[in-house]
Amino acid sequence: MGSTCRTALKFTGLVIMVICIIQLHIFLHKPWYQFKLMRLQIMCILQMVLSYGSYYIYRTYKVNPIWKRIIIIVIALTHFSFFAQYMFIGDNPSILALIPFLAQALHVFLCLGTLAGDIGTFLFIPFTIKISIAYQRFKLNFVPVCAIVLTIWSYVNTLLPPQHSTVHVPIKGLASQFENFHVIQLSDIHVGPTTGKAFVDWMVDEVNKRNPDAVMITGDLVDSSVKNLKHAVHNLRNLESKYGTFYVTGNHEYYTNDADNWLKHLRSLSITALHNQNAMIVESSNNSKICIAGVDDPQSEKMGYTGHSTDPISATAGCPEDAPVIMLAHQPKAAKLSIDLLPRVDLVLSGHTHGGQFFPVHIPVYLVNPFFAGLYQPKPDTHVYVSRGLRFYGAPMRLFSFPQYTSIYLHKKFEE
């Protein structure tokens, strides 16, 4: 046990040293090189964390020859999944990417289940050795079976059509011409190694069936560059609505290191891409207006992405004082910033949280975000709606947090 701990400490020290060297280079080189180094740094951290989880489950199940072989395969595929997401990207998902990501899901459930089992073992210590040994045998078979069942269940949930939700929001000073104004919000589509053209085509057909007045895409649309995914998203140009489609970046657009090209490309698809900017929806009959504003994702600042930042003031510059403001802000933290800084924002549309994506990740996601999922009213005349998103990131998992897209209907708020 002592030698194992020493080996683990040496491994951790080596990874930390590599991360420190990378961090030094990040500050000394050009932006494009900084991004590649930052990606390598994140990869090192994730692989280190995964290595501890891998060792934990291998040590637990190696006593069973069958489970030992399965665990080795799962561990190998899981560590490979971080490379698969860059290697196998095309118009539609590749089975070569899907299998490692499914192994990643199984790895997560094995770690969580084993931890829960070990806590159970600790609770049985005060009882007889006979009970403790029986529990250990039960755990060594029950936990892996449960992990496989949960992996299949959570994967099947990602194959089901996303739920269509409906929300009604009262807006102060909304012109009568905009009564029942219908917005469809799309968020966290994550086109990339596990989501492709077929899903985008389905989504466009679903939206068009519902005849919205406007479509709002609130970030994390893609997980790779324009070069890799331009054909997969091409059908977005066929989204139909009275006033058009509006878009803001999410954190994953910045992870691609291609955010500026995505803004340019989406504009070529007749989508209004808002980069700390706004656009006006105007009702021609009486010149009534709604200001649609959009901020860059906060991740842009953390990554030092030139010319990008979360700037609600700039995003709403020029919005008429008497016009309702709908703000698109991918992260709930950006939503809160907008509410705190602006004198008026009537509705903020966000995503990012995936509603936790799978249990028990709900708990930390809930704790670190000011808004988690659903409709909030932080001020008397301000609402925030956080979508659970249409897809997933990483492992294809949805457990107790089903994917959705939302119809939002605006109504005039009557003063009491």
Side-chain angles (χ1 to χ4, degrees):
M1 189 68 182
S3 71
T4 300
C5 289
R6 285 193 294 273
T7 301
L9 287 172
K10 288 178 182 177
F11 174 73
T12 303
L14 178 62
V15 172
I16 291 172
M17 184 176 69
V18 170
I19 290 169
C20 289
I21 293 171
I22 292 171
Q23 191 67 49
L24 179 63
H25 278 276
I26 285 173
F27 288 109
L28 296 177
H29 290 82
K30 296 178 181 179
W32 67 270
Y33 189 52
Q34 288 178 351
F35 171 78
K36 292 181 182 298
L37 288 170
M38 190 175 295
R39 178 179 282 181
L40 178 59
Q41 182 184 44
I42 293 170
M43 188 83 73
C44 287
I45 294 169
L46 291 174
Q47 290 288 359
M48 181 179 73
V49 173
L50 267 180
S51 294
Y52 285 116
S54 297
Y55 172 73
Y56 178 48
I57 57 177
Y58 175 78
R59 184 196 66 181
T60 302
Y61 300 104
K62 66 180 181 179
V63 295
N64 185 314
I66 297 175
W67 288 125
K68 178 182 177 180
R69 293 187 183 94
I70 295 172
I71 295 298
I72 289 173
I73 294 171
V74 168
I75 288 172
L77 287 171
T78 298
H79 285 270
F80 177 68
S81 67
F82 288 92
F83 302 97
Q85 65 181 321
Y86 303 115
M87 295 171 62
F88 305 112
I89 296 181
D91 289 352
N92 280 300
S94 166
I95 192 70
L96 297 176
L98 182 61
I99 290 175
F101 278 116
L102 283 171
Q104 188 185 105
L106 181 55
H107 189 282
V108 169
F109 284 127
L110 279 167
C111 288
L112 293 173
T114 305
L115 179 62
D118 285 347
I119 293 172
T121 300
F122 177 77
L123 295 175
F124 274 120
I125 287 176
F127 299 99
T128 66
I129 295 176
K130 187 176 181 180
I131 292 176
S132 185
I133 293 173
Y135 174 77
Q136 280 287 89
R137 290 173 179 169
F138 171 75
K139 182 188 73 173
L140 289 175
N141 289 287
F142 179 73
V143 170
V145 170
C146 278
I148 291 170
V149 170
L150 288 173
T151 299
I152 295 171
W153 182 12
S154 58
Y155 175 58
V156 169
N157 285 338
T158 69
L159 301 177
L160 300 175
Q163 296 175 349
H164 174 242
S165 304
T166 301
V167 173
H168 295 268
V169 179
I171 302 291
K172 183 179 180 179
L174 186 72
S176 58
Q177 287 78 8
F178 288 124
E179 180 64 27
N180 220 36
F181 189 87
H182 180 198
V183 172
I184 287 186
Q185 182 194 8
L186 307 173
S187 194
D188 298 273
I189 302 164
H190 289 284
V191 179
T194 52
T195 298
K197 185 178 184 300
F199 183 83
V200 172
D201 293 348
W202 173 88
M203 182 186 70
V204 169
D205 289 342
E206 284 295 303
V207 170
N208 291 346
K209 287 177 190 175
R210 300 188 183 276
N211 300 312
D213 292 304
V215 178
M216 314 285 184
I217 303 175
T218 50
D220 280 8
L221 171 63
V222 291
D223 281 322
S224 189
S225 66
V226 172
K227 178 182 176 181
N228 289 334
L229 296 177
K230 62 182 178 181
H231 297 297
V233 303
H234 185 74
N235 202 28
L236 290 175
R237 73 183 304 145
N238 293 319
L239 284 167
E240 297 174 0
S241 63
K242 184 176 180 180
Y243 294 101
T245 301
F246 303 84
Y247 161 86
V248 289
T249 55
N251 52 311
H252 282 258
E253 277 81 358
Y254 294 102
Y255 295 153
T256 70
N257 197 34
D258 208 25
D260 284 320
N261 284 333
W262 273 115
L263 291 171
K264 181 179 178 181
H265 183 68
L266 291 173
R267 287 168 184 150
S268 76
L269 301 180
S270 302
I271 293 172
T272 303
L274 299 171
H275 169 36
N276 289 326
Q277 298 166 312
N278 63 75
M280 216 65 64
I281 288 178
V282 181
E283 175 54 52
S284 57
S285 62
N286 68 345
N287 207 37
S288 298
K289 297 175 181 177
I290 297 176
C291 184
I292 311 297
V295 290
D296 298 341
D297 188 79
Q299 190 63 35
S300 62
E301 297 173 73
K302 294 178 182 178
M303 296 184 67
Y305 209 94
T306 305
H308 290 247
S309 64
T310 305
D311 189 353
I313 304 297
S314 296
T316 54
C319 290
E321 291 184 6
D322 60 342
V325 176
I326 299 176
M327 175 68 76
L328 310 186
H330 174 67
Q331 292 195 40
K333 290 178 182 178
K336 187 177 187 305
L337 179 67
S338 299
I339 294 167
D340 291 343
L341 291 181
L342 297 173
R344 176 175 187 174
V345 56
D346 298 88
L347 173 63
V348 186
L349 300 181
S350 295
H352 182 64
T353 68
H354 296 202
Q357 190 161 317
F358 65 94
F359 183 82
V361 175
H362 301 68
I363 298 169
V365 173
Y366 176 82
L367 293 174
V368 302
N369 287 283
F371 311 106
F372 176 63
L375 187 65
Y376 298 81
Q377 189 176 2
K379 292 183 178 180
D381 297 323
T382 300
H383 287 80
V384 175
Y385 183 77
V386 183
S387 170
R388 295 194 304 269
L390 277 151
R391 295 293 281 164
F392 51 85
Y393 176 67
M397 305 162 70
R398 279 284 190 170
L399 193 61
F400 307 124
S401 175
F402 295 101
Q404 70 175 166
Y405 66 104
T406 306
S407 286
I408 301 165
Y409 291 92
L410 307 185
H411 305 280
K412 183 175 182 178
K413 180 179 179 180
F414 293 97
E415 300 297 327
E416 297 181 358

